[in-house]
Amino acid sequence: MSQGKTALVITAHPGDFVWRAGGAIALHARKGYRVKIACLSYGERGESQWAWKTAGVKLEDVKAQRKAEAEEAARILGAEIEFFDAGDYPLRGTEAILDRLIDIYREEKPAFVLTHSLNDPYNVDHPEATRLAQEARIIAQAAGHKPDPTRAYAAPPVFLFEPHQPEQCDFKPNVILNIDDVWEVKRKAFEVLAAQKHLWEYYTRVALNRGVQGGRNSGRAMTYGEAYQRLFPMILEELA
Amino acid sequence: MSQGKTALVITAHPGDFVWRAGGAIALHARKGYRVKIACLSYGERGESQWAWKTAGVKLEDVKAQRKAEAEEAARILGAEIEFFDAGDYPLRGTEAILDRLIDIYREEKPAFVLTHSLNDPYNVDHPEATRLAQEARIIAQAAGHKPDPTRAYAAPPVFLFEPHQPEQCDFKPNVILNIDDVWEVKRKAFEVLAAQKHLWEYYTRVALNRGVQGGRNSGRAMTYGEAYQRLFPMILEELA
Amino acid sequence: MSQGKTALVITAHPGDFVWRAGGAIALHARKGYRVKIACLSYGERGESQWAWKTAGVKLEDVKAQRKAEAEEAARILGAEIEFFDAGDYPLRGTEAILDRLIDIYREEKPAFVLTHSLNDPYNVDHPEATRLAQEARIIAQAAGHKPDPTRAYAAPPVFLFEPHQPEQCDFKPNVILNIDDVWEVKRKAFEVLAAQKHLWEYYTRVALNRGVQGGRNSGRAMTYGEAYQRLFPMILEELA
Amino acid sequence: MSQGKTALVITAHPGDFVWRAGGAIALHARKGYRVKIACLSYGERGESQWAWKTAGVKLEDVKAQRKAEAEEAARILGAEIEFFDAGDYPLRGTEAILDRLIDIYREEKPAFVLTHSLNDPYNVDHPEATRLAQEARIIAQAAGHKPDPTRAYAAPPVFLFEPHQPEQCDFKPNVILNIDDVWEVKRKAFEVLAAQKHLWEYYTRVALNRGVQGGRNSGRAMTYGEAYQRLFPMILEELA
Amino acid sequence: MSQGKTALVITAHPGDFVWRAGGAIALHARKGYRVKIACLSYGERGESQWAWKTAGVKLEDVKAQRKAEAEEAARILGAEIEFFDAGDYPLRGTEAILDRLIDIYREEKPAFVLTHSLNDPYNVDHPEATRLAQEARIIAQAAGHKPDPTRAYAAPPVFLFEPHQPEQCDFKPNVILNIDDVWEVKRKAFEVLAAQKHLWEYYTRVALNRGVQGGRNSGRAMTYGEAYQRLFPMILEELA
Amino acid sequence: MSQGKTALVITAHPGDFVWRAGGAIALHARKGYRVKIACLSYGERGESQWAWKTAGVKLEDVKAQRKAEAEEAARILGAEIEFFDAGDYPLRGTEAILDRLIDIYREEKPAFVLTHSLNDPYNVDHPEATRLAQEARIIAQAAGHKPDPTRAYAAPPVFLFEPHQPEQCDFKPNVILNIDDVWEVKRKAFEVLAAQKHLWEYYTRVALNRGVQGGRNSGRAMTYGEAYQRLFPMILEELA
């Protein structure tokens, strides 16, 4: 049933798709989805603090190192990854980036999209990634943008992934994804991010606590969860 | 699959379950659910304006008339109905009402619950019904309330149905239910409420416009919709 | 044009109608409205701190003193006043109080109602007064409450008056009433509340600052304002 | 009394002023207002889906067709229209567009302004139009922008018109305009938008349902309504 | 400096003061505060699921067991505890409970108060405890409640403790308390709650993750944190 | 203890730091802080209405006059001031401005930052200043921005100062600073702004009313206050 389905992840930095959406990526990859990650920057300036502790390190070297990590993490999770090299801190969307994202929406016709929370007062790049994800999703619907009368396209549902400090970002999860089946894969992807070892345990605890909450909300046991905030109404044929 | 499943509707007045949830009731009944309506009042004082236009009409007569209508509408929709006769305008929950609702949650183990919006500045009975529905759902989980170690119970998801003026009630739908298959049944139930003929067209328009919105949000054609606001996170095994 | 129009003020304590709505009361009285104040308590326990500084003072004496003040302030402002003696700190609405308020709505058919803000974390009586005002307004519409087929009644618009610390009460004014023409009357009513002299200047400053804001929002000079938050949509025949 | 008054409508696309504000435009035109529409784009790429179903259609042809429609609709409604040709999907405000809007505010000294909702997660152009409308309104007050000591100007009230899915856009109407007197005109303007026939009925239903709500909120019968959200406090001399 | 200071904790059930405020209690006790816990119920029906797994268990036995646990946990944390035996699921505040709480506020003159979040859709008792805590704090200020002209009293600041699912309860922490110095004490108190062993790890993870967030927000290393939402403005003499 | 501490004020226009933060500036200067004001524009076009009443006045002259005023006000308050000449109405942040602000954060390592509210529907420059303040604070943390492995930097707390119409700007103060000790200095700084004499009294009233609120919230007498909204959680070692 997931034959030919695609999932799209639009992320500001490499770490984000691992910590925040690694479970969803691995889970859907295992179910047979193609999962495509649009990685807008390498997080080279603001998410690579350790790399800059060496005097004289070069930007290009930091980028190359983060790129390699991101590719390895994507491989472990079972996803494809496309880099945009948009720069970080601040990440600024350009018309070219937007244009490529629009094309991706149309090419992939994703079954759903994962991206950042709408607000993040700790991080200027996260809401910019979300803005780009939302604008591209909308513009992809415009028949007059690169017109092609044969094209069919419908805007997919959007799920926001959990930010580092959810309450400060006005993040209110309405979905908890059970990632028990792929937890080991997600955890393995953590280990690619060797310099952020302190976050391995942090996000393991987040997954365990979301798992407990998932159990409470469903009455069905589960261990590891990923929280999401779904935008846009769901259209259902049955409520349970 | 819906063999043995139950849906529970907790409604302040008879009209509400017809206008606001008639599609969900008919649809799930058709799918094989037992649908149980807990009808807290007959709406005898505040939702029966026409009946009181005759001088000297008696409260008991109005109640009997509304009861008959509610039973007929439930029958058309395919649901069972239990009356609480709690009074309306104002409906005031008592411990006895709460107690009976707790029992119903435990007896029925509903797959989901439908009730009113959290706020309604136009109607004092609607949020009171919601309060009762929420409290009973919570207390039903308390092992020490009428203890029985053999009992299994998990609190079901709750969907709020659309109030008359949604924005004024801070109602934000995140679910649109496709009710095309049962529209004719819902419409037929409208016609039981003969004295509120002006609302037949109002709620037909609501259903048509929610249908258009459902089509926009899903990319799949549909004609008639019912909007709901789901409380509590969904626990999912797949996002699409 | 205001011939025969009534305004209704539902207030928890005597001070409130002076500080918060004295301008509106005096202004509409001058325009020919009957203004009726429903004064739910005498504020005898929680709004009469000075009176209790004398050892041995009796509750009835404090109530009598506050009643006299409230009558005098109402007289100065040009309003009628009806006391409910509901008690304060805490004020608890009873079915009898609610019933009398419903009757007042129906007798007076007020052109508008003034009451407290929806929330007030500093004062438990204020939101209780608002709850009573809202419930009575709604129940007054129920044809089956004390039925009378000849009765005509439509629920009036509601304006919330400004609490002591507006932002903490989630009070967002959308109306500023120009009270320049009656400022001296309002100020004179302040002086009846001799024991709260420090508040005379406080609420004079509030009026002056709302006046400046009124000027900024309208482009028309004004000096003294009273801020209100209107609930329920306005129905207009022209937007300017 | 409306002699010499102007109303200003700032709209992202041609359809918007018809569906969302056609009643207000026709009503105020009939009352003697000059109504000026600032139409920021032709909606050529994102609001002209049908036009692009023909292979090889040219952008300029689509724009010309939409321009003709917009002019015809404005004519029917009784308004003037000025086009900005800012492009759509995405509409991006430039300093030149902003500058022209500032001039219009100053030239027209509108009695009120109509524009889009503050948020619209379905449409990137709508909030951009609102941003431009708000910024131009503010900057028009700056004496040092194109200084002229003889100029008088006060910022007008702003009304946001109803978006397609109001709750998803955090749109909370606080004004319902009675458009009964001009309904036939608004409906006639619908018919200019021949390719969007399905929306004729959608927005007729919206008008009828807002009409019912208008009747409920005012106690006065009305049939057709347009909902608006007024920003900025109203300055009043009387509350009823 | 904390000589003679008191802290007051108003809690619905015994577990709550351990999981949610155990660190604050132990920390202030160690600093020399008297810490007083007002424990409104024993959590006998709704927070003692394990106890009811034995057929025939008696309510009084469950209460006695929970009381013993609560006393032991309070002892470990260094606090006094007073029981109200108000019942749980649902906990309903009575005038007698309110009255006793008012007396406690006046007797203890607490430097601060800890209680539950304002909302909790999973638990009907938590917001009821908060309501009682807020009302008692307010009424304690009323000079006419049990008048005594010699009494001095000022309402203390209120901190809400973290609920089980913070985002669903609209809980937004603005304070993180560093509890490193007393973590072992808090953890020891966990172990009194032997039947809820699964929660020991859950709330250890919560403490660790709030600790990481505390470090991020302050730039100073810390390991264990407790999150609070402070109500009411702080009055400061210096901002850093 | 405040030896070597710095406070940073990021302000859109000269008037803002006087009316909104003059007390905090003078108070911390007196306590020994270096206080640095980053004044993004001279307010030459939009906050200098009087200057433009003379025909033929030149922009450069208005800027020079406002600069002199700002320097004099800063001198009176005890602060240093750096001008950015970014232009006003609209103020548009450039990468150069952002870059200089980042450097200031790193050079000054401020103990706290004061800036505008997050929203201001009356003023397009205020939220733009806040955006710049927030982005610079975040980017200053990025090790790869002008890397220097020896640098230590932690993002400081941010306090938003009170806008002209707080409720319309969604400003909710959670801090009131007691400025009694420096009130005369703040008032003296008002007098530098000779052309805005009407605002002297307005902001004196604001200070007095915030002072009354400060007294109410703390139970300690104070006369003059400045309200702030603190962003980001506080990390505390003690709650009282």
Side-chain angles (χ1 to χ4, degrees):
Chain A
M1 201 155 72
S2 43
Q3 207 69 24
K5 280 197 192 168
T6 300
L8 177 61
V9 182
I10 300 180
T11 182
H13 315 111
D16 295 320
F17 76 78
V18 178
W19 311 121
R20 308 188 197 298
I25 294 170
L27 185 68
H28 290 86
R30 180 167 296 184
K31 285 178 194 290
Y33 283 66
R34 252 184 83 218
V35 184
K36 163 125 196 177
I37 300 165
C39 189
L40 299 182
S41 84
Y42 299 111
E44 61 268 20
R45 302 203 309 166
E47 308 272 324
S48 310
Q49 306 297 68
W50 65 94
W52 298 100
K53 290 196 171 141
T54 315
V57 71
K58 290 208 185 99
L59 189 67
E60 286 318 302
D61 293 343
V62 178
K63 287 164 73 169
Q65 179 194 336
R66 299 305 315 273
K67 184 167 187 258
E69 277 179 23
E71 283 169 335
E72 175 61 6
R75 195 194 56 73
I76 289 169
L77 296 169
E80 296 169 37
I81 189 163
E82 178 172 335
F83 296 98
F84 283 67
D85 197 8
D88 73 326
Y89 277 69
L91 189 164
R92 300 282 192 220
T94 61
E95 292 302 310
I97 291 169
L98 187 62
D99 191 71
R100 177 63 194 136
L101 285 171
I102 297 165
D103 285 352
I104 291 175
Y105 271 96
R106 289 174 164 185
E107 291 163 11
E108 305 295 348
K109 296 184 183 27
F112 61 87
V113 177
L114 308 182
T115 192
H116 290 271
S117 58
L118 297 175
N119 301 308
D120 191 337
Y122 295 98
N123 194 303
V124 62
D125 298 352
H126 292 172
E128 176 70 357
T130 312
R131 183 185 71 78
L132 289 164
Q134 294 268 77
E135 289 199 9
R137 176 184 176 274
I138 289 168
I139 298 172
Q141 296 173 92
H145 175 89
K146 302 186 184 172
D148 173 0
T150 67
R151 183 176 50 227
Y153 174 78
V158 175
F159 296 83
L160 310 179
F161 34 71
E162 178 169 349
H164 190 69
Q165 298 190 48
E167 301 97 341
Q168 307 304 320
C169 300
D170 301 323
F171 176 79
K172 187 163 183 174
N174 51 19
V175 167
I176 296 176
L177 184 70
N178 182 336
I179 59 167
D180 285 357
D181 288 352
V182 294
W183 169 252
E184 289 308 320
V185 183
K186 178 169 181 175
R187 174 73 198 203
K188 209 163 181 180
F190 282 11
E191 295 170 17
V192 174
L193 305 170
Q196 290 167 291
K197 219 162 177 172
H198 61 291
L199 289 178
W200 300 4
E201 296 314 313
Y202 185 88
Y203 282 107
T204 298
R205 291 190 298 262
V206 167
L208 284 164
N209 282 13
R210 292 300 185 190
V212 173
Q213 294 175 6
R216 287 238 180 160
N217 279 286
S218 64
R220 293 189 306 275
M222 60 179 281
T223 305
Y224 297 98
E226 258 174 17
Y228 290 93
Q229 182 176 331
R230 193 192 202 279
L231 299 184
F232 306 111
M234 279 178 294
I235 311 312
L236 298 180
E237 310 286 324
E238 184 170 351
L239 293 176
Chain B
M1 203 154 71
S2 44
Q3 206 72 22
K5 282 196 189 169
T6 300
L8 177 60
V9 182
I10 300 179
T11 180
H13 315 111
D16 297 320
F17 77 78
V18 178
W19 311 122
R20 309 188 195 298
I25 295 170
L27 184 68
H28 289 86
R30 180 167 297 184
K31 285 177 193 289
Y33 283 67
R34 252 185 83 219
V35 183
K36 164 122 195 178
I37 300 165
C39 189
L40 300 182
S41 85
Y42 300 111
E44 61 268 20
R45 303 203 308 164
E47 309 271 326
S48 310
Q49 306 295 69
W50 66 94
W52 297 100
K53 290 196 172 142
T54 314
V57 71
K58 291 208 186 98
L59 188 66
E60 287 318 302
D61 294 341
V62 178
K63 285 164 73 168
Q65 179 193 336
R66 297 307 315 274
K67 182 167 186 260
E69 277 178 24
E71 284 170 334
E72 175 62 5
R75 196 194 54 75
I76 288 170
L77 296 170
E80 297 168 35
I81 188 163
E82 178 171 335
F83 296 98
F84 283 67
D85 196 9
D88 73 326
Y89 278 69
L91 189 164
R92 301 282 192 219
T94 62
E95 292 302 310
I97 290 169
L98 187 62
D99 192 70
R100 176 63 195 134
L101 285 173
I102 296 165
D103 284 353
I104 291 176
Y105 272 96
R106 288 175 165 185
E107 292 162 10
E108 304 296 348
K109 295 184 183 28
F112 61 87
V113 178
L114 308 183
T115 191
H116 290 270
S117 58
L118 298 176
N119 302 307
D120 191 338
Y122 294 98
N123 194 303
V124 63
D125 298 352
H126 292 172
E128 177 69 357
T130 312
R131 182 186 70 79
L132 290 164
Q134 295 268 78
E135 289 199 8
R137 175 184 175 274
I138 288 168
I139 298 172
Q141 297 173 90
H145 175 89
K146 302 186 184 171
D148 174 358
T150 68
R151 183 176 50 227
Y153 173 77
V158 176
F159 296 84
L160 311 178
F161 36 69
E162 177 169 349
H164 190 69
Q165 298 189 47
E167 302 97 341
Q168 308 302 321
C169 300
D170 302 324
F171 176 80
K172 187 162 181 173
N174 50 20
V175 167
I176 296 177
L177 184 70
N178 182 336
I179 59 167
D180 285 358
D181 287 353
V182 293
W183 170 252
E184 288 310 320
V185 182
K186 178 169 182 174
R187 175 72 198 204
K188 211 164 180 180
F190 282 10
E191 295 171 16
V192 175
L193 305 170
Q196 292 167 288
K197 219 165 175 169
H198 60 292
L199 289 178
W200 301 3
E201 297 313 313
Y202 185 87
Y203 283 106
T204 298
R205 292 190 298 261
V206 167
L208 283 164
N209 282 13
R210 292 299 184 190
V212 172
Q213 293 175 6
R216 286 239 180 159
N217 279 285
S218 65
R220 294 189 305 276
M222 61 180 279
T223 305
Y224 296 98
E226 257 173 18
Y228 290 94
Q229 181 176 333
R230 192 192 203 278
L231 298 184
F232 305 110
M234 278 179 296
I235 313 309
L236 298 180
E237 312 285 324
E238 185 171 349
L239 293 175
Chain C
M1 202 154 68
S2 45
Q3 207 70 21
K5 282 197 189 167
T6 301
L8 176 60
V9 183
I10 299 180
T11 181
H13 314 111
D16 296 322
F17 75 78
V18 178
W19 311 122
R20 310 188 195 297
I25 295 170
L27 184 68
H28 290 86
R30 180 166 297 184
K31 285 178 193 293
Y33 283 66
R34 253 185 83 219
V35 184
K36 164 124 195 178
I37 300 165
C39 189
L40 299 182
S41 84
Y42 300 110
E44 62 269 18
R45 303 204 309 166
E47 310 270 325
S48 311
Q49 307 295 70
W50 66 94
W52 297 100
K53 291 195 172 142
T54 314
V57 71
K58 292 211 186 94
L59 188 67
E60 286 318 301
D61 294 342
V62 178
K63 285 164 73 167
Q65 179 193 337
R66 297 307 312 275
K67 183 168 187 257
E69 277 178 23
E71 284 169 334
E72 175 63 6
R75 195 195 55 75
I76 288 169
L77 296 170
E80 296 168 37
I81 188 162
E82 177 172 335
F83 296 99
F84 284 66
D85 196 9
D88 73 327
Y89 277 69
L91 189 163
R92 300 283 192 218
T94 61
E95 292 301 311
I97 290 169
L98 187 62
D99 192 70
R100 177 62 194 135
L101 285 172
I102 296 165
D103 285 351
I104 291 176
Y105 271 97
R106 288 175 165 185
E107 291 163 10
E108 305 295 347
K109 296 182 183 28
F112 61 88
V113 178
L114 308 183
T115 192
H116 290 271
S117 58
L118 297 176
N119 301 307
D120 191 337
Y122 295 98
N123 194 303
V124 62
D125 298 352
H126 293 172
E128 176 69 358
T130 312
R131 182 185 70 79
L132 290 163
Q134 294 268 79
E135 288 199 8
R137 175 183 176 274
I138 288 168
I139 298 172
Q141 297 173 89
H145 175 88
K146 302 186 184 172
D148 174 359
T150 67
R151 184 175 49 227
Y153 173 77
V158 176
F159 296 84
L160 310 178
F161 37 69
E162 177 168 350
H164 190 69
Q165 298 189 48
E167 301 98 341
Q168 307 303 320
C169 301
D170 302 324
F171 176 79
K172 187 162 181 173
N174 50 20
V175 167
I176 296 176
L177 184 70
N178 182 336
I179 59 167
D180 284 358
D181 286 353
V182 294
W183 169 253
E184 288 309 321
V185 183
K186 178 169 182 175
R187 175 73 198 203
K188 211 162 179 180
F190 282 10
E191 295 171 15
V192 175
L193 305 169
Q196 291 167 289
K197 218 163 177 171
H198 61 292
L199 288 179
W200 300 4
E201 296 313 313
Y202 185 87
Y203 283 107
T204 299
R205 291 190 299 261
V206 167
L208 284 164
N209 282 14
R210 292 300 185 191
V212 172
Q213 293 174 6
R216 286 237 179 159
N217 279 285
S218 65
R220 293 189 305 277
M222 61 179 281
T223 304
Y224 296 98
E226 258 174 18
Y228 290 93
Q229 182 175 333
R230 193 191 200 281
L231 299 183
F232 306 111
M234 279 179 294
I235 312 311
L236 299 181
E237 312 286 324
E238 184 171 349
L239 293 175
Chain D
M1 201 154 71
S2 43
Q3 206 70 22
K5 281 197 190 168
T6 300
L8 177 59
V9 183
I10 300 180
T11 182
H13 315 110
D16 296 320
F17 77 79
V18 178
W19 311 121
R20 310 190 195 297
I25 295 169
L27 184 68
H28 290 86
R30 181 168 296 183
K31 285 179 193 290
Y33 283 66
R34 253 185 84 218
V35 183
K36 164 124 196 178
I37 300 165
C39 189
L40 300 182
S41 84
Y42 299 111
E44 63 268 18
R45 303 204 309 165
E47 309 272 326
S48 310
Q49 306 296 68
W50 66 94
W52 298 101
K53 292 196 172 139
T54 315
V57 70
K58 291 210 185 96
L59 189 68
E60 286 318 302
D61 293 342
V62 178
K63 286 163 73 167
Q65 180 194 336
R66 298 304 317 272
K67 183 168 186 256
E69 277 179 25
E71 284 169 336
E72 175 61 5
R75 194 194 57 74
I76 289 170
L77 296 170
E80 298 168 36
I81 189 163
E82 178 172 335
F83 296 98
F84 283 68
D85 196 9
D88 73 326
Y89 277 69
L91 189 164
R92 300 282 192 220
T94 61
E95 292 302 311
I97 290 169
L98 187 63
D99 191 70
R100 177 63 194 135
L101 285 172
I102 297 165
D103 285 352
I104 290 175
Y105 271 96
R106 288 176 164 184
E107 290 162 12
E108 305 295 349
K109 296 182 183 29
F112 62 85
V113 177
L114 308 182
T115 192
H116 290 270
S117 58
L118 298 176
N119 302 307
D120 191 337
Y122 295 99
N123 194 303
V124 62
D125 298 353
H126 293 172
E128 176 70 357
T130 312
R131 182 185 71 78
L132 290 164
Q134 294 268 77
E135 289 199 8
R137 176 184 175 274
I138 288 168
I139 299 173
Q141 296 173 90
H145 175 88
K146 301 186 185 171
D148 172 0
T150 67
R151 183 175 52 226
Y153 174 77
V158 176
F159 297 83
L160 309 178
F161 34 71
E162 178 169 351
H164 189 69
Q165 298 190 48
E167 302 97 341
Q168 308 304 320
C169 301
D170 302 322
F171 177 79
K172 186 162 183 174
N174 50 20
V175 167
I176 296 176
L177 184 70
N178 182 336
I179 58 167
D180 285 358
D181 288 352
V182 293
W183 170 252
E184 289 309 321
V185 183
K186 178 168 183 176
R187 175 73 197 203
K188 210 163 181 182
F190 282 10
E191 296 170 16
V192 174
L193 305 169
Q196 291 167 289
K197 219 163 176 171
H198 61 293
L199 289 178
W200 300 5
E201 295 314 313
Y202 184 88
Y203 283 107
T204 298
R205 292 190 298 262
V206 167
L208 283 164
N209 282 13
R210 292 300 184 190
V212 173
Q213 294 175 5
R216 287 238 180 159
N217 279 286
S218 65
R220 293 190 306 275
M222 60 180 279
T223 305
Y224 296 99
E226 258 173 18
Y228 289 93
Q229 182 175 331
R230 193 191 201 280
L231 299 183
F232 307 110
M234 278 179 295
I235 312 311
L236 298 180
E237 312 285 324
E238 185 170 351
L239 293 175
Chain E
M1 201 155 71
S2 43
Q3 207 70 23
K5 282 195 190 169
T6 300
L8 176 60
V9 183
I10 299 179
T11 181
H13 315 111
D16 295 321
F17 76 78
V18 178
W19 310 123
R20 309 187 196 298
I25 294 170
L27 184 68
H28 290 86
R30 180 167 296 184
K31 285 179 193 291
Y33 283 66
R34 252 185 84 221
V35 183
K36 164 124 195 177
I37 300 165
C39 189
L40 300 181
S41 85
Y42 299 110
E44 62 268 19
R45 303 203 309 164
E47 309 271 325
S48 311
Q49 306 296 69
W50 64 95
W52 297 100
K53 292 195 172 142
T54 314
V57 70
K58 292 211 184 94
L59 188 67
E60 287 318 302
D61 294 341
V62 178
K63 286 165 72 169
Q65 180 193 335
R66 297 307 314 273
K67 183 168 186 256
E69 276 179 24
E71 284 170 335
E72 175 63 6
R75 194 195 55 75
I76 288 169
L77 296 170
E80 296 168 37
I81 189 163
E82 178 172 335
F83 296 99
F84 284 67
D85 196 9
D88 73 326
Y89 277 69
L91 189 164
R92 299 282 193 220
T94 62
E95 292 302 310
I97 290 169
L98 187 62
D99 192 70
R100 176 64 194 135
L101 285 172
I102 297 165
D103 285 352
I104 290 176
Y105 271 97
R106 288 175 165 185
E107 291 162 11
E108 304 296 347
K109 297 183 183 27
F112 61 86
V113 177
L114 308 183
T115 192
H116 290 271
S117 58
L118 298 176
N119 302 307
D120 191 338
Y122 295 98
N123 194 303
V124 63
D125 299 351
H126 292 171
E128 176 70 357
T130 312
R131 182 186 70 79
L132 289 164
Q134 294 268 78
E135 289 199 8
R137 175 183 176 275
I138 288 168
I139 298 172
Q141 297 173 90
H145 175 88
K146 302 186 185 170
D148 174 358
T150 67
R151 183 175 50 228
Y153 174 77
V158 176
F159 297 83
L160 311 178
F161 36 69
E162 178 168 350
H164 190 68
Q165 298 189 49
E167 302 97 341
Q168 307 304 320
C169 301
D170 302 323
F171 176 79
K172 187 163 182 173
N174 51 20
V175 167
I176 296 177
L177 184 70
N178 182 337
I179 58 167
D180 284 358
D181 287 352
V182 294
W183 169 251
E184 289 309 321
V185 183
K186 178 168 183 176
R187 175 72 197 203
K188 212 163 180 180
F190 281 11
E191 295 170 16
V192 174
L193 305 169
Q196 291 166 290
K197 218 163 176 170
H198 61 293
L199 288 178
W200 301 4
E201 296 314 313
Y202 185 87
Y203 282 107
T204 299
R205 291 190 298 263
V206 167
L208 284 164
N209 282 13
R210 291 301 185 190
V212 172
Q213 294 175 5
R216 286 239 180 158
N217 279 286
S218 65
R220 293 189 306 275
M222 60 180 280
T223 305
Y224 296 98
E226 258 174 17
Y228 289 93
Q229 182 175 332
R230 192 192 203 280
L231 298 183
F232 306 111
M234 279 179 295
I235 312 310
L236 298 180
E237 311 286 323
E238 185 171 350
L239 293 175
Chain F
M1 202 154 70
S2 45
Q3 207 71 22
K5 282 196 189 167
T6 300
L8 177 60
V9 183
I10 300 179
T11 181
H13 315 110
D16 295 320
F17 76 78
V18 177
W19 311 122
R20 307 188 198 297
I25 294 170
L27 185 68
H28 289 86
R30 180 167 296 184
K31 285 178 192 292
Y33 283 65
R34 252 184 85 219
V35 183
K36 163 124 196 178
I37 301 164
C39 189
L40 300 182
S41 84
Y42 299 111
E44 62 267 19
R45 303 203 309 165
E47 307 271 325
S48 311
Q49 307 296 69
W50 65 94
W52 298 100
K53 291 195 172 142
T54 315
V57 70
K58 291 209 186 94
L59 188 67
E60 287 318 302
D61 293 342
V62 179
K63 285 164 74 169
Q65 180 194 335
R66 297 306 315 273
K67 184 168 186 257
E69 277 179 22
E71 284 170 335
E72 176 61 6
R75 194 194 56 74
I76 288 170
L77 296 170
E80 297 169 35
I81 189 162
E82 177 172 336
F83 295 98
F84 283 67
D85 196 9
D88 74 326
Y89 277 68
L91 188 164
R92 300 284 192 217
T94 61
E95 292 301 312
I97 290 170
L98 186 62
D99 191 71
R100 176 63 194 136
L101 285 172
I102 297 165
D103 286 351
I104 290 175
Y105 271 96
R106 289 175 164 184
E107 291 162 11
E108 304 296 347
K109 296 183 182 27
F112 61 86
V113 177
L114 308 182
T115 191
H116 290 271
S117 58
L118 297 176
N119 301 308
D120 191 338
Y122 295 99
N123 193 303
V124 63
D125 298 352
H126 293 172
E128 176 70 358
T130 312
R131 182 185 70 79
L132 290 164
Q134 294 268 77
E135 289 199 8
R137 175 183 175 275
I138 289 168
I139 298 172
Q141 296 173 90
H145 175 88
K146 301 186 185 171
D148 173 359
T150 68
R151 183 174 51 227
Y153 174 77
V158 175
F159 296 83
L160 309 179
F161 35 70
E162 177 168 349
H164 190 69
Q165 298 190 47
E167 301 98 342
Q168 308 304 320
C169 301
D170 302 323
F171 177 80
K172 187 163 181 173
N174 50 20
V175 167
I176 296 177
L177 184 70
N178 182 336
I179 58 168
D180 284 358
D181 287 353
V182 293
W183 169 253
E184 289 309 321
V185 182
K186 179 169 182 176
R187 175 71 197 205
K188 208 161 182 181
F190 282 11
E191 295 171 16
V192 174
L193 306 169
Q196 290 166 289
K197 218 163 177 171
H198 61 293
L199 289 179
W200 300 4
E201 295 315 313
Y202 185 88
Y203 283 107
T204 298
R205 292 190 298 262
V206 167
L208 284 164
N209 282 14
R210 291 300 185 190
V212 173
Q213 294 176 5
R216 288 238 180 159
N217 279 285
S218 65
R220 293 189 305 276
M222 60 180 280
T223 305
Y224 297 97
E226 258 174 17
Y228 290 93
Q229 182 176 333
R230 193 192 200 280
L231 299 184
F232 305 111
M234 277 179 296
I235 311 311
L236 297 181
E237 312 285 325
E238 185 171 348
L239 293 175

